[in-house]
Amino acid sequence: MLDKQGIAKRIAKEIKDGYYVNLGIGIPTLVANYIPDDVDVILQSENGLLGMGPFPFEGEEDADTINAGKQTITKLAGSAIFDSAMSFGMIRAKKVNLTILGAMEVSENGDIANWKIPGKMVKGMGGAMDLVASAENIIVAMQHVNKAGESKLLPKCTLPLTGINCVKKIVTELAVLDVLPEGGFRLLERAPGVSVEEIKNATAGKLIIEGEIPEMVI
Amino acid sequence: MNKVVSGADEAIRDIEDGMTLMLGGFGMCGLPEKSILALVKKGVKDLTCISNNAGVDDFGIGLLLHQHQVKKMISSYVGENAEFERQLLSGELEVELIPQGTLATRCMAAGYGMPAIFTPAGIGTEVAEGKEVRNFNGKDYLMEMAFDADFAIVKAWKGDRLGNLVYRSTARNFNPVMAMAGKVTIAEVEELVEPGELDPDNIHTPGIYVHRIFQGENYEKRIEQRTVRKRDN
């Protein structure tokens, strides 16, 4: 079974040289720590920055330089600043190659719910609806089951949706799965020490298992 | 031509109860903090505020909320404010949550003189309820209307008395698109300079969009999430 860092490490392997990538808040943010040195990527922050760097050294924080999570960050050499309309323009126009974000639920047809729980204070969708509606390549980083032990990979989402037919791949503490265009979660890899049986038990939606499922290499 | 006013109080002098305001900034970053303080002092109420966020309890739009000056917030994310939550749950405050890109692009449309935009954001979700859907090249898009704001209030780094503006780093965010979108646009700047001091090739907001400008003093520029890394020895 993977911890959060492990999920981030596995997702980092999906990032290809030359990609522009948008990382959501939570586990996706950790992915930046595991991108190999020989893979050249540029991180987009939807508040208006390409070329996001690591957190600043203590004492070098700049109130004018933050990411979409409102954290102080740095700008790498070659970074570019732009306004919010252009930022979502480049997202809508599919210039951003990969979006990685968290989710509360994903359905077997690729619907995602990650912004609202009825009866709880709703904070808002931020940029998530724009990202999932336009991105061609969306990877979800999340736990396979919720705190109540219920599967988050479902036949149909129960929570209000963020977007439809959009998730392409899911990485959880148990597995890596594809979401097939015709519907269904196709099991690609097992986390170290996790059996296919355990993944079956944790997946409520249609799970497709073809042949021997390899253990993931991190 | 001289758009310079004496300060925030004069800049907001004719903002009245019930008006719709755009307020630039992303969280505390690039927030027109001096104008907000003047609005708090003036005590105008029943405002509709279009702003990406709703401030924190003791800063930004949170100060307006605290005095019950806001009737409605139009935002994409409002998670950082306990008083906001209390007013929302008690029904004192109305909130319309819209996708961040839709928010920015509805501002842009107003500034570009276009009545509406089409965006895929929100298709198949509750955001689409009651809105016109159009299919272009096999994909569904929502029609979203340009905003109609009485005033846009923005914060820039530098500006000249003709209203030309330059923003600094990610404090740019919503400010340029909102500056274009107000019937009247107020710009507060950290540094007011003479015409000619800003490079025409590097103006972010041309002065034609700006009606009033003033230099604010002692910007607090609060940091919402101070994140740092340790130096390796």
Side-chain angles (χ1 to χ4, degrees):
Chain A
M1 195 183 294
L2 302 176
D3 58 7
K4 284 181 180 178
Q5 301 291 341
I7 295 173
K9 262 187 213 174
R10 177 58 190 82
I11 291 176
K13 290 177 66 179
E14 301 291 321
I15 297 177
K16 305 280 186 291
D17 194 52
Y19 268 14
Y20 289 91
V21 182
N22 181 290
L23 301 176
I25 293 164
I27 299 174
T29 306
L30 302 173
V31 174
N33 300 331
Y34 300 109
I35 300 169
D37 287 341
D38 60 344
V39 175
D40 198 8
V41 302
I42 293 182
L43 299 180
Q44 198 247 18
S45 189
E46 66 266 25
N47 57 318
L49 169 64
L50 277 168
M52 178 167 62
F55 295 151
F57 290 121
E58 216 165 337
E60 293 179 1
E61 310 92 284
D62 173 9
D64 289 337
T65 304
I66 64 168
N67 63 16
K70 304 182 182 84
Q71 298 170 312
T72 47
I73 44 136
T74 54
K75 289 173 285 188
L76 297 177
S79 68
I81 294 284
F82 36 87
D83 65 58
S84 299
M86 185 181 281
S87 182
F88 285 95
M90 64 184 70
I91 289 164
R92 223 179 278 121
K94 306 183 193 302
K95 305 297 180 188
V96 176
N97 305 99
L98 175 62
T99 290
I100 303 169
L101 74 178
M104 299 171 187
E105 294 177 346
V106 177
S107 78
E108 62 192 34
N109 65 334
D111 295 353
I112 178 172
N114 73 351
W115 75 286
K116 184 175 183 180
I117 301 174
K120 287 203 176 171
M121 169 67 188
V122 180
K123 295 186 169 188
M125 65 290 280
M129 281 194 183
D130 307 273
L131 281 159
V132 300
S134 294
E136 291 194 306
N137 194 1
I138 299 176
I139 300 179
V140 163
M142 66 175 189
Q143 301 297 316
H144 215 100
V145 296
N146 65 21
K147 281 176 186 146
E150 298 156 342
S151 180
K152 295 168 73 173
L153 286 78
L154 303 171
K156 208 170 179 316
C157 292
T158 64
L159 296 169
L161 294 176
T162 309
I164 54 171
N165 303 318
C166 54
V167 176
K168 299 287 189 290
K169 191 169 260 185
I170 304 166
V171 179
T172 74
E173 78 283 18
L174 302 180
V176 181
L177 310 102
D178 262 348
V179 182
L180 297 179
E182 63 272 26
F185 303 108
R186 181 171 59 185
L187 183 57
L188 298 177
E189 297 173 20
R190 298 172 289 113
V194 173
S195 68
V196 169
E197 207 54 33
E198 283 173 80
I199 296 163
K200 265 188 197 168
N201 292 338
T203 308
K206 182 178 169 191
L207 185 67
I208 296 155
I209 303 162
E210 292 165 344
E212 204 58 23
I213 305 300
E215 191 170 286
M216 62 178 86
V217 182
I218 296 175
Chain B
M1 195 178 290
N2 185 12
K3 298 177 179 181
V4 178
V5 293
S6 59
D9 292 332
E10 189 187 345
I12 62 131
R13 63 188 183 270
D14 47 358
I15 293 182
E16 292 163 11
D17 293 356
M19 281 186 166
T20 296
L21 312 180
M22 283 178 175
L23 296 156
F26 189 96
M28 309 288 101
C29 184
L31 190 75
E33 55 179 82
K34 303 303 173 195
S35 300
I36 291 171
L37 287 172
L39 288 167
V40 170
K41 194 168 89 179
K42 188 170 190 219
V44 280
K45 52 186 193 304
D46 295 327
L47 299 172
T48 295
C49 293
I50 302 167
S51 192
N52 190 51
N53 311 95
V56 292
D57 279 316
D58 61 343
F59 194 67
I61 296 170
L63 297 170
L64 290 167
L65 288 165
H66 215 77
Q67 295 216 61
H68 299 88
Q69 291 174 265
V70 182
K71 182 181 69 180
K72 181 177 180 181
M73 281 300 313
I74 300 175
S75 305
S76 85
Y77 192 83
V78 293
E80 298 102 349
N81 189 330
E83 176 63 14
F84 180 95
E85 183 169 349
R86 195 199 61 72
Q87 289 186 21
L88 181 64
L89 294 174
S90 69
E92 292 162 63
L93 177 71
E94 197 186 331
V95 64
E96 184 181 345
L97 292 170
I98 60 179
Q100 197 173 118
T102 301
L103 179 66
T105 314
R106 289 174 68 187
C107 295
M108 192 197 79
Y112 276 76
M114 301 184 297
I117 56 142
F118 289 95
T119 176
I123 285 286
T125 77
E126 63 187 60
V127 166
E129 284 167 20
K131 289 177 185 159
E132 184 177 335
V133 176
R134 287 275 294 273
N135 188 285
F136 296 98
N137 304 318
K139 184 168 173 166
D140 284 340
Y141 294 80
L142 280 185
M143 187 167 79
E144 296 274 10
M145 307 306 288
F147 281 123
D148 184 15
D150 297 300
F151 283 82
I153 308 178
V154 303
K155 152 85 196 317
W157 179 37
K158 291 180 180 181
D160 66 24
R161 65 177 161 77
L162 303 176
N164 295 305
L165 303 177
V166 175
Y167 308 90
R168 184 175 172 276
S169 197
T170 59
R172 189 181 313 190
N173 57 62
F174 282 86
N175 285 300
V177 281
M178 288 186 171
M180 296 168 70
K183 285 197 196 78
V184 176
T185 291
I186 296 167
E188 55 173 88
V189 298
E190 289 176 54
E191 194 181 339
L192 189 62
V193 301
E194 282 303 307
E197 287 185 52
L198 300 176
D199 175 3
D201 278 328
N202 290 300
I203 299 289
H204 300 140
T205 296
I208 192 168
Y209 287 111
V210 176
H211 303 86
R212 300 169 193 170
I213 186 167
F214 68 93
Q215 179 175 306
E217 303 297 330
N218 305 317
Y219 273 92
E220 187 174 342
K221 295 218 264 185
R222 202 181 279 200
I223 291 175
E224 211 160 325
Q225 307 276 346
R226 186 179 301 273
T227 44
V228 295
R229 69 188 143 135
K230 289 264 178 275
R231 263 174 226 278
D232 299 325
N233 287 320

